[in-house]
Amino acid sequence: MAGGKEIRTKISSIQNTRKITGAMEMVAASKMRKANQRMAESKPYATRIRQVVAHMAGAAQDYEHPYLQEREEVKRVAYIVVSSDRGLCGGLNGNLFKRVIRENKHWQKEGVEIDYCVIGNKALSFFRSVGGNVVASTTGLEDAPSVVDLVGNIHVVLDAFKEGTLDRVYVVYNEFVNTMTQQPVVHQLLPLPPAEDDRDTQFRWDYIYEPTPEGLVDGLLTRFIESQVYQSVVENKACEQAARMVAMKAATDNAGNLIDELELIYNKERQAAITQEISEIVSGAAAV
Amino acid sequence: MPSTMRCEIVSAEREMFSGKVTMVVASGAVGDLGILPHHTPLLTSLQPGPVRVQLDDGTEELFYVNGGYLEVQPKEVTILADVAERVEEMDEQAAEAARVAAREALEGKNKDMDYSAAAAQLAESLAQLRTIEHLRRKGGRGGK
């Protein structure tokens, strides 16, 4: 029985792997539930602030904020790339980076320079190996990220935009379609694309601002950008867990198949060994 | 039937309140303001402090917001709070402890402390205590 022992060890090692992937699947499933809930909870704020900003853009102000002004010439753009901190989540990050690279080519053709502002370990190591001008990074976010953790990163980009070194800012993250499907999406953050909500625009009206329009509009727009980025981070977290759950489920199933196959081989081997032994004994007895 | 407007109080982490109200009272950047339906559009930042909403059945609900923005449209009031809490959920002891810590820091027991951060923290915990006090007064009148 030559390979018997080896096959057994192999089976037991795969069994261990299956145990781990099974556990990871369950952990991811429970984390995904929580991440989904968090995504749902932060949605009202994002929708409300979008409405308010849309109202504000519709108001007939004398003052136009730089965040709302489209620049004629685009020389430098920034991408905020939201990735996960850990791997083992299928093609989630890979697809996202592919999307970024595609966008990238388009800009390079026009001779536009690109800055990256990365969130998550995976994006950081990706741009480190591929090469790319990373201007800010945040890694090691918790499962329940807070806006405070992201503020620094966002402000690097906002400040550069205000100074005029950046002409456009995009955010790239995975959109949670459903548990099985996550889709990389690119949204323009700055300058703010015109809002779809255009009711009440037939009247010329404006807010009463307390204290001053400049400060309020600036604060509110900053808050809006922050909330958009926060929302994409939270959504990406939900995607990460969903993708990991699916990947680990596939791994567990594959391990099961592998074990079945190996068990078949092992049994064949065992039977062959027994048959051989019997025939040796029988032929030995016949010789006597 | 009194005239009503929609009111939404949301913080970055969750939705606190959504419903029909007859009045909203909040502390704006330049002073407290009470808003009734059909108010002219208004935009203001908020100071840390209580937000009181009067529901159309006459009852009142009290919230605490830690700064944020208030938008008024004729039929709608939106409060975008940085951090919002229902007053019932607030922890008075924690607020008191924060107040003491901030005051100590301000008085220079720890020289490395950032003055503006400490002042902000003090203002915040005072506002929280003020909100709790407000609730207690109301409870005392109605309950006993």
Side-chain angles (χ1 to χ4, degrees):
Chain A
M1 205 173 140
K5 186 107 168 61
E6 282 88 344
I7 297 173
R8 272 260 70 105
T9 359
K10 198 151 198 187
I11 288 177
S12 77
S13 110
I14 294 174
Q15 269 167 342
N16 284 337
T17 313
R18 183 170 67 171
K19 254 184 228 157
I20 294 169
T21 56
M24 282 179 82
E25 181 196 334
M26 280 189 281
V27 170
S30 94
K31 279 191 176 173
M32 185 187 74
R33 240 194 330 274
K34 277 188 211 136
N36 264 338
Q37 197 188 345
R38 223 167 277 130
M39 191 170 80
E41 277 171 352
S42 66
K43 228 160 209 162
Y45 187 85
T47 5
R48 287 291 143 198
I49 198 163
R50 190 174 303 130
Q51 268 174 14
V52 173
V53 167
H55 288 165
M56 204 172 64
Q61 314 165 11
D62 307 325
Y63 159 74
E64 196 176 33
H65 196 272
Y67 290 170
L68 300 168
Q69 288 163 351
E70 188 77 36
R71 309 256 167 95
E72 278 163 23
E73 198 186 358
V74 179
K75 275 183 268 157
R76 188 177 266 272
V77 297
Y79 280 88
I80 300 179
V81 183
V82 183
S83 75
S84 69
D85 271 327
R86 281 178 222 164
L88 290 183
C89 47
L92 188 79
N93 290 316
N95 290 341
L96 190 79
F97 298 149
K98 248 187 250 162
R99 182 69 203 264
V100 175
I101 294 293
R102 211 164 53 222
E103 295 275 321
N104 216 334
K105 284 207 179 106
H106 159 75
W107 288 118
Q108 268 169 356
K109 234 181 269 167
E110 294 178 22
V112 175
E113 288 187 78
I114 306 162
D115 281 350
Y116 296 102
C117 172
V118 299
I119 296 169
N121 256 330
K122 286 286 155 186
L124 188 63
S125 56
F126 174 77
F127 287 113
R128 201 179 282 148
S129 67
V130 172
N133 187 17
V134 178
V135 289
S137 74
T138 308
T139 55
L141 285 178
E142 295 161 35
D143 286 334
S146 93
V147 184
V148 183
D149 301 329
L150 304 167
V151 164
N153 222 332
I154 297 165
H155 277 257
V156 170
V157 181
L158 288 186
D159 290 345
F161 187 84
K162 257 189 216 164
E163 283 165 18
T165 40
L166 281 175
D167 301 308
R168 265 195 208 162
V169 178
Y170 295 88
V171 60
V172 200
Y173 64 99
N174 282 293
E175 192 183 19
F176 190 90
V177 183
N178 56 44
T179 316
M180 301 300 288
T181 328
Q182 295 87 34
Q183 213 166 25
V185 288
V186 181
H187 281 312
Q188 182 172 334
L189 275 186
L190 289 174
L192 287 177
E196 315 93 49
D197 179 325
D198 56 0
R199 68 196 169 96
D200 286 352
T201 40
Q202 60 268 45
F203 310 109
R204 264 188 75 84
W205 62 276
D206 198 3
Y207 287 110
I208 300 172
Y209 295 95
E210 282 180 9
T212 59
E214 287 82 2
L216 278 176
V217 173
D218 187 68
L220 203 57
L221 287 177
T222 310
R223 204 54 56 80
F224 174 64
I225 306 281
E226 282 168 9
S227 107
Q228 292 278 293
V229 176
Y230 175 74
Q231 183 70 25
S232 41
V233 169
V234 173
E235 190 155 349
N236 200 66
K237 284 263 175 205
C239 288
E240 180 191 343
Q241 299 303 343
R244 179 165 299 134
M245 190 180 87
V246 173
M248 288 303 117
K249 181 158 177 44
T252 312
D253 293 350
N254 287 345
N257 291 342
L258 216 55
I259 289 172
D260 286 350
E261 269 170 41
L262 283 175
E263 225 133 56
L264 208 64
I265 295 173
Y266 174 75
N267 284 339
K268 266 188 197 154
E269 187 90 8
R270 190 172 56 90
Q271 266 177 341
I274 292 169
T275 315
Q276 200 189 350
E277 218 166 285
I278 289 174
S279 71
E280 268 165 21
I281 292 169
V282 170
S283 59
V288 171
Chain B
M1 181 76 196
S3 75
T4 58
M5 56 188 170
R6 283 201 67 73
C7 175
E8 312 262 350
I9 302 178
V10 291
S11 75
E13 274 91 19
R14 61 183 169 152
E15 182 169 60
M16 295 300 303
F17 176 84
S18 165
K20 281 188 174 164
V21 300
T22 52
M23 184 168 75
V24 176
V25 180
S27 34
V30 287
D32 282 13
L33 28 92
I35 292 143
L36 297 171
H38 306 294
H39 195 284
T40 186
L42 175 130
L43 197 62
T44 180
S45 53
L46 293 175
Q47 284 182 334
V51 171
R52 204 145 51 83
V53 297
Q54 216 160 64
L55 306 183
D56 53 358
D57 60 3
T59 54
E60 247 184 26
E61 283 203 45
L62 200 59
F63 299 89
Y64 169 76
V65 298
N66 177 9
Y69 291 91
L70 172 85
E71 191 223 19
V72 181
Q73 290 282 338
K75 296 204 157 228
E76 183 171 49
V77 174
T78 310
I79 293 179
L80 302 162
D82 296 344
V83 179
E85 276 172 277
R86 256 174 212 282
V87 173
E88 290 80 11
E89 293 170 6
M90 258 164 60
D91 188 343
E92 187 177 8
Q93 277 176 340
E96 182 67 36
R99 187 185 68 85
V100 171
R103 177 137 291 159
E104 274 177 9
L106 277 181
E107 280 162 4
K109 292 204 175 149
N110 184 351
K111 294 286 182 211
D112 303 331
M113 184 78 183
D114 180 0
Y115 182 82
S116 61
Q121 202 190 350
L122 179 63
E124 220 171 81
S125 45
L126 279 175
Q128 281 183 5
L129 285 170
R130 193 153 58 95
T131 313
I132 292 171
E133 193 62 26
H134 191 101
L135 178 76
R136 182 165 303 151
R137 268 211 314 278
K138 208 180 66 176
R141 249 206 328 267
K144 283 162 206 166

